[in-house]
Amino acid sequence: MYNSKIAGLGYYVPENVVTNHDLSKVMDTSDEWIQERTGIKERRHVIKGTDTTTSMGVKAAKIAIERAGIDKNDIDFIIFATLSPDYYFPGPGVLVQRDLEIDTVGALDVRNQCSGFVYAISVADQYVKSGMYQNVLVVGSELHSHGLDMTTRGRGVSVIFGDGAGAAVISREEDSTKGILSTHLHSEGQHAEELSLIAPGMGKRWVLDILKDNDPEDESYFPYMNGQFVFKNAVVRFSEVIMEGLQKNKLAPTDIDILIPHQANLRISQFVQKKFGLSDDQVYNNIMSYGNTTAASIPIALTEAWEEGKVKEGDLVVLAAFGSGFTWGSAIIRW
Ligand code: COA
């Protein structure tokens, strides 16, 4: 049995900055409302015809691979987490394999929304620990802006989400005291529709009927979120799954050097920070600048924290996520 570690990190966000003020020009909202409820000041939106979910993921992946100090052909397997794939099928994993021009390694797509990156590194961790693979590329990327309802009707959801990508190379680590110590994953499908995008699923309608209806008023093509219900569940599940991870490793909240929570909402992060008695330096947040980038939020935040010197060798790093499904998870890492 080997150990696994995060050997390289990278992120990419599109250049186009969309402020709360910009949004208030197209829908009935305000900078004050958005900042007070979510902490978000601005986010990035891809300009149509430039980036895709895959192209952003590829840009982040190239940086992560270079920082891992390996050649792209040393990648043994690709895992891609997203809720906004380029195509209905195939998923973006194979597109990364093609666009990076690497060998015909396996490519797996993860559909776990905001928990996608934690689920993906958990899968990568098992492959590396078992000895099956030495280097697994994990990408989280989202292009939300092309699928949001940018009118007052959609304001409860559309102001929160942003575009971007993050990537990590998970590699074999010989030192058994270092690396990914454990991961913890959960789901509760009972609440599947509370945060969801129902169409164009095959669940209830024939595709020919969908095309025939061609109804611009059909809200099932836009994401739906029961905001307060999601908030209440998030604060409970974040806390539970962080505690579960710490206990599994016989650690306490006081052992945490840095917590990188999924950037769902600054108020959720602050609730968790208070619950665990962590200082501002012990919780990394960048939702103010990027909004909620779903599967990309943890790798973007982790990369930024690492670049700023806030993730150091020997640190206990905790990743935690909650989102649509509901799904939630944590990863406990000795850097
Ligand atoms: N700008 C201005 N007003 C808005 C608005 C916006 N962008 N979005 C909603 N409103 C209005 C609503 O229409 C409602 O008006 P009403 O009282 O006249 O009916 C009012 O604000 C309150 O709406 P509500 O949905 O109750 O607000 P809230 O306090 O619950 O905040 C969220 C909404 C979405 C910010 C909050 O519920 C939340 O953060 N939830 C968790 C979201 C999350 O983390 N999602 C990702 C999970 S991974």
Side-chain angles (χ1 to χ4, degrees):
M1 183 95 166
Y2 298 97
N3 225 6
S4 79
K5 68 174 176 193
I6 295 181
L9 285 164
Y11 80 93
Y12 169 83
V13 288
E15 274 177 26
N16 180 37
V17 176
V18 177
T19 64
N20 294 343
H21 180 64
D22 293 331
L23 292 181
S24 72
K25 291 180 198 159
V26 294
M27 62 181 80
D28 182 11
T29 190
S30 66
D31 179 48
E32 191 190 7
W33 192 97
I34 300 171
Q35 283 212 49
E36 188 188 314
R37 311 282 172 124
T38 69
I40 300 166
K41 293 181 179 168
E42 57 189 41
R43 73 287 292 139
R44 307 296 177 98
H45 282 181
V46 166
I47 291 174
K48 206 173 163 205
T50 56
D51 272 308
T52 64
T53 297
T54 300
S55 75
M56 291 192 288
V58 166
K59 287 172 188 168
K62 283 181 177 167
I63 299 168
I65 292 168
E66 194 190 330
R67 286 177 173 168
I70 59 170
D71 184 81
K72 62 183 181 177
N73 285 312
D74 295 328
I75 298 288
D76 302 308
F77 195 70
I78 298 162
I79 307 178
F80 201 120
T82 189
L83 63 69
S84 49
D86 297 7
Y87 306 140
Y88 197 88
F89 73 81
V94 298
L95 306 180
V96 168
Q97 180 274 327
R98 178 184 68 188
D99 294 351
L100 279 178
E101 298 178 339
I102 56 180
D103 213 354
T104 56
V105 299
L108 175 74
D109 296 291
V110 167
R111 295 293 310 269
N112 287 82
Q113 298 68 247
C114 299
S115 312
F117 188 76
V118 173
Y119 267 74
I121 63 164
S122 178
V123 175
D125 181 44
Q126 309 314 308
Y127 279 137
V128 173
K129 281 188 176 144
S130 71
M132 184 162 170
Y133 298 128
Q134 280 205 38
N135 300 301
V136 178
L137 173 64
V138 176
V139 182
S141 180
E142 302 289 0
L143 202 170
H144 282 297
S145 62
H146 287 14
L148 296 173
D149 180 357
M150 299 299 281
T151 69
T152 298
R153 185 180 66 177
R155 65 182 180 174
V157 175
S158 302
V159 301
I160 292 176
F161 295 98
D163 303 338
V169 175
I170 313 293
S171 298
R172 185 181 291 177
E173 165 67 59
E174 304 290 344
D175 181 345
S176 64
T177 63
K178 269 190 186 168
I180 300 173
L181 304 181
S182 63
T183 56
H184 308 270
L185 308 176
H186 295 276
S187 72
E188 192 176 24
Q190 187 189 342
H191 304 308
E193 286 79 18
E194 302 293 347
L195 178 49
S196 58
L197 200 162
I198 301 299
M202 297 297 148
K204 291 199 176 102
R205 287 189 292 176
W206 288 65
V207 75
L208 282 177
D209 290 334
I210 296 172
L211 292 171
K212 198 174 69 199
D213 291 351
N214 191 22
D215 177 8
E217 298 304 316
D218 185 349
E219 291 181 44
S220 60
Y221 285 86
F222 294 118
Y224 166 77
M225 180 170 68
N226 181 347
Q228 292 190 6
F229 188 71
V230 170
F231 194 105
K232 283 179 196 151
N233 278 268
V235 293
V236 172
R237 297 308 192 184
F238 263 109
S239 305
E240 274 178 14
V241 83
I242 292 168
M243 210 55 217
E244 179 185 347
L246 292 172
Q247 282 171 350
K248 168 82 184 171
N249 293 286
K250 300 187 171 48
L251 295 164
T254 47
D255 294 312
I256 297 175
D257 290 299
I258 191 155
L259 168 66
I260 315 267
H262 159 55
Q263 304 290 295
N265 178 323
L266 190 60
R267 308 299 161 227
I268 294 176
S269 295
Q270 287 167 337
F271 182 98
V272 175
Q273 174 178 344
K274 202 167 164 204
K275 183 162 173 95
F276 286 99
L278 302 172
S279 69
D280 288 350
D281 287 344
Q282 288 171 295
V283 183
Y284 193 83
N285 288 303
N286 62 7
I287 191 169
M288 304 75 87
S289 311
Y290 303 125
N292 178 339
T293 56
T294 317
S297 93
I298 289 182
I300 294 174
L302 181 58
T303 307
E304 275 198 350
W306 176 80
E307 286 175 352
E308 291 169 21
K310 290 179 176 158
V311 174
K312 302 175 296 298
E313 188 154 359
D315 278 355
L316 187 76
V317 181
V318 176
L319 313 181
F322 173 88
S324 163
F326 293 150
T327 58
W328 61 101
S330 65
I332 312 293
I333 303 168
R334 180 65 70 188
W335 207 264

